[in-house]
Amino acid sequence: MCGIVAYVGYESIADRILIEGLKILEYRGYDSAGIASFIDQNIITVKTKGKVQQLEEKLQIQKIQTSIGIAHTRWATHGEPNEVNAHPHHVGEVTLVHNGIIENYYELKEELMSKGYNFQSQSDSEIACAYIDYCYQRYHDKEEALIKAYQTFKGSFAFAILFADDDQNVYAMRKDSPLILGTSATKTFIASDIQAFLHYTKQYIVLEHNEIARCSREGIVIKNLQKEFVKKEIQTAQMENKDLTKNGYAHYMLKEIHEQPYAIKETIQAYLSNHLKDLMDQFPDLKKFKQIHISACGSAMYAGMIAKVLIEKKARIPVQCVVASEYRYMDPIFQEDTLLILISQSGETADTLAALHLAKQHHVPTLAIVNVENSALAREADYVLYTHAGVEISVATTKAYCTQVALLSLIACHLSYIHGYIDAEEEKQLLDEFKQLPILMDKLIHQDTYKEIATHLYQKEHVFLMGRGLDYALSMEGALKLKEISYIHCEAYAAGELKHGTISLIEKDTPIIVLCSDDSIYEKTMSNMKEVKARGAKIIVLATEDLPIAPDTYDVRLTIPKTDILLQGILTVIPLQLIAYETANMRGCEIDQPRNLAKSVTVE
Ligand code: F6R
């Protein structure tokens, strides 16, 4: 979602730093971009619809050289993506960039219009800008103006703010939208993501709610809303600069798919020692929970669907898996021993955070499975288990999803053991099998059939996926991958469900990808394959090596290594990712930044 970068330093290189930062944040998804900086004590703003590249070209024409500025990539929420709605916004003395949504914008707009303010854009951010200006005109004090605005704004926000009469400082404040402050001896940064300034410093501070930061060349001063100084811990980012390059791959997504064996190794080895003792030391109460809720969005929620299958099968604990945007509105029933598991790559997804907040109100323990260190979810949940996927740049998740499934599988395995469904020896055997995963994954990644399968799909308008049990949960992820990056309409079905309606959509050569990895039900799925084949469907079956799938039921077969069900999903998803990738590539799609999508969805 929208990206913020701001810089103030001794060198007059703000334009370069801000453009570099915006390019790094491009992966978050956006449709316009802009920059504002002080030049000879005046604030100059340059904006464009479209890409950061276009903004860079505009800036080169103006030859802007400055040591203080703010910049933004906007993912449209209020108002269409165009230059007027793009940030920075400027009203009176105030110029700002904003992430989030000001929910009471209409009320504020009416109040401001009655006081003589006029608005150029359709954006709630321009209203926020005017409101801060109004408070500044009234109190003649920047801190006071920001505090008043903070207390008035409803919704979520992260701001970087310039005042026209102050070319020394950039101000920042946030609520529910992330904002990180970077610090070094000569440069200070404000950004939505550490990556934006990682090239210059690894030292950072997390700005919290109810805090106002003043960032200057000399450093950062933070106060709370009572104007008291707040002492903050300076942290060191673990990620490396090399995580931010494509490393020779055509796309980040392809690179990240190839990184999966390593990401899985990094994630599981942190927990595998001593029969998962390290994992359980971080989470001592696991045995007491009689009911588990899982809440997340998109692919993270599909990882949750896999966990539901595994935990219920292996440990017989009832699991409810609910999309986070619904969770808080469905009035979930919490029993005494309910655990809520929240899954998120970014750890900043607004709906997932809202699910966490609801659980906290009800004193329900929460476990977050998160990839981004120190993200809001990681900071606020009772327990945190990190996936170690590394930085994920491609909007469509691959390695983060895969590591989420791996970590949830380890939890299912351990629950099975502590509830007496497997003994210590069986648990050990399963954990040994986990250690083999990276090798099996690597082989699957390097199979050469994906391009050929993509030739059956790339010119189609509709594709279906089907499977039963675990394979159904995986089909959901496979369908999401294909539609989000190739823009082909794709739906996943429980294999037995197709004939209850959807089979009417099957015509000659409609592609159906069938997942088949469970020997106890594969014959049922084969019957469903026959039903659609009889109606002309083209069947691509991804089946485990042990299953004797009748050759007259399919057109193309891809074989997947057979493992225990706990590990199976981590393997089966790889062909789905690569088929989606190759199909999107053949269609010439913008794979790493699909249209309309954002990486980190920080609004409801
Ligand atoms: C799909 C995808 C999204 C995310 C979802 C949740 O490829 O990436 O569906 O999984 O937006 O994001 P996080 O995991 O950051 O909470």
Side-chain angles (χ1 to χ4, degrees), residues 297-300 343-347 349 395-397 404 480-481 484 601:
C297 300
S299 292
I343 310 165
S344 176
Q345 187 287 127
S346 62
T349 302
V395 165
T397 181
Q404 287 160 355
L480 179 60
K481 282 288 91 76
E484 68 182 327
V601 184

Side-chain angles (χ1 to χ4, degrees), residues 462-575:
H462 309 284
V463 174
F464 293 92
L465 274 91
M466 66 179 190
R468 288 168 179 263
L470 181 87
D471 290 328
Y472 172 52
L474 281 160
S475 305
M476 302 293 285
E477 171 59 7
L480 179 60
K481 282 288 91 76
L482 189 64
K483 60 191 152 192
E484 68 182 327
I485 63 166
S486 74
Y487 314 148
I488 296 175
H489 167 237
C490 182
E491 282 191 56
Y493 277 88
E497 191 57 22
L498 227 69
K499 58 180 160 299
H500 296 285
T502 315
I503 203 160
S504 66
L505 296 171
I506 307 301
E507 43 190 39
K508 188 168 169 354
D509 285 339
T510 303
I512 303 202
I513 301 174
V514 184
L515 306 188
C516 232
S517 65
D518 185 342
D519 53 3
S520 68
I521 40 173
Y522 85 97
E523 282 164 329
K524 307 280 174 205
T525 308
M526 249 171 43
S527 302
N528 304 131
M529 286 158 66
K530 283 184 192 150
E531 286 158 11
V532 282
K533 186 116 181 77
R535 281 146 185 102
K538 176 150 277 175
I539 300 212
I540 297 151
V541 62
L542 315 187
T544 46
E545 58 208 353
D546 58 316
L547 298 180
I549 308 285
D552 62 341
T553 56
Y554 63 84
D555 297 280
V556 182
R557 175 175 178 165
L558 193 146
T559 300
I560 298 166
K562 176 73 184 164
T563 61
D564 187 272
I565 188 171
L566 281 174
L567 298 81
Q568 197 64 61
I570 303 164
L571 293 175
T572 309
V573 77
I574 290 173

